[in-house]
Amino acid sequence: MKGKTQVLIFLPLFLTGCQPAPKMPEASVPVTEPEAKPQTEQSAAEIQEIAVTDIAGLKIGQYENEKAGTGLTVFISEEGMPAGIDVRGGGPASRESQMLNPLMTVQEINAVVLSGGSAFGLGAADGVMKYLEEHDIGFDTGAAKVPLVVQADIYDLTVGSADVRPDAEMGYEAARRAFEEPNYRDGNYGAGCGASVGKIAGMDTAMKTGIGSYAVQIGDLQVGAVVVVNALGDIYDWKTGEQVAGLLNPEKTGLRSTMEYMKGSTEVVENKFTGNTTLAVIITNAEFDKAQLCKIAGMGHDGMARSINPVHTSADGDTIYAVSTGNVEADQDLVGALGAEVLSEAILNAVKNADSAYGYPSASSLALTGE
């Protein structure tokens, strides 16, 4: 009707007495759980042992003076290679180590030299530089190409002749062999010629060791190590804990513990430099820069600690280099952990492949290697 207003009133259901329509049951929809992906583990068959010389991009040459009981081992990259270093021993003899500091300008080097002769042997790098310069290899400064060579030495003056040490002539020959006659071998060769261990009681109860290597491949990744075993302490199998070399008993028929010997007296020993220092190079075809390789070298010392006791003493110059020779993508921590493992195996090979020499028995001559 005209002039009247209609009002609509909405009341809650509970006031009207009406009930809501019953809720219809939902159709059950079967839920399909996603299939769990099987967990895969790296099988032993996928980890292959290779020769350290199978790692591309690196040339290795050795030269030794067997009569004098000293020598050197040279690792050369024609194109240049990023490298890192980690020094844990208290008495290193080295050359150009600061160049591998990540803060330094140079990003790649041309060679690593491991040598005998203590600080006297550092001149061997001059011969390596000469050979590389003759072959137009080095950092181009504009005026000349300067080969960038780093070096670390063991103390082997008490083994053979203290008057004969690796020099420039020997360094040149080792570099030449690396290019023309690659001759790497485990045992009493190169820098391992005068290596020995177990020297806390003097050289009379020391043992002969040498240089050793070990390498593995997983897919395209390759990781290897070369080590010169010249420790003050004893050598252990890192998997079993068995002592395999080190301080001889007074009868020289078996082993005794360097640590137990040291616990016999708390008196200060003024001069432990009877011939120490373990040196190593970890080699990988994975691509890393200098800072990453310094970390990998540091992780490599875990391998030394598993295999040598005591290690990193004030009388050792324990030094590890890590070098990258390729462009394979790989996890840095995996390579560092593998580096420690192959280093431990390389230490064992340095012991197993050494021969008795200069009056010092080897593990094989005492039947201590389990072979």
Side-chain angles (χ1 to χ4, degrees), residues 155-294:
Y155 186 104
D156 57 3
L157 304 181
T158 54
V159 172
S161 172
D163 299 327
V164 179
R165 310 113 182 188
D167 55 14
E169 184 178 347
M170 290 177 68
Y172 186 95
E173 179 60 20
R176 185 196 69 78
R177 291 185 179 187
F179 274 81
E180 301 175 20
E181 306 168 21
N183 64 335
Y184 178 79
R185 295 177 63 185
D186 291 346
N188 298 17
Y189 303 100
C193 183
S196 57
V197 295
K199 293 165 277 193
I200 189 65
M203 293 303 293
D204 187 55
T205 49
M207 284 183 62
K208 185 71 182 74
T209 47
I211 193 169
S213 65
Y214 190 81
V216 296
Q217 180 162 342
I218 306 175
D220 292 330
L221 173 65
Q222 297 173 321
V223 181
V226 175
V227 59
V228 184
V229 180
N230 192 60
L232 175 74
D234 304 321
I235 310 302
Y236 293 83
D237 185 318
W238 68 288
K239 290 182 178 178
T240 67
E242 178 187 3
Q243 185 177 349
V244 295
L247 179 63
L248 292 171
N249 60 29
E251 298 76 29
K252 301 182 184 179
T253 57
L255 300 172
R256 51 181 165 159
S257 167
T258 292
M259 278 301 299
E260 292 306 311
Y261 180 90
M262 293 176 69
K263 292 174 186 177
S265 173
T266 59
E267 292 184 7
V268 176
V269 180
E270 296 294 342
N271 185 5
K272 302 188 189 81
F273 290 87
T274 51
N276 313 305
T277 293
T278 297
L279 307 175
V281 180
I282 294 174
I283 307 160
T284 181
N285 66 346
E287 185 173 10
F288 296 113
D289 61 27
K290 184 162 61 170
Q292 291 172 307
L293 289 164
C294 283

Side-chain angles (χ1 to χ4, degrees), residues 44-59:
E46 292 175 302
I47 302 178
Q48 176 187 359
E49 181 182 348
I50 60 174
V52 72
T53 51
D54 290 337
I55 302 177
L58 197 66
K59 301 178 185 296

Side-chain angles (χ1 to χ4, degrees), residues 61-64 70-73 114 116 185 187-194 211:
Q62 301 194 114
Y63 187 81
E64 63 277 338
T70 193
L72 72 158
T73 304
L114 305 182
R185 295 177 63 185
N188 298 17
Y189 303 100
C193 183
I211 193 169

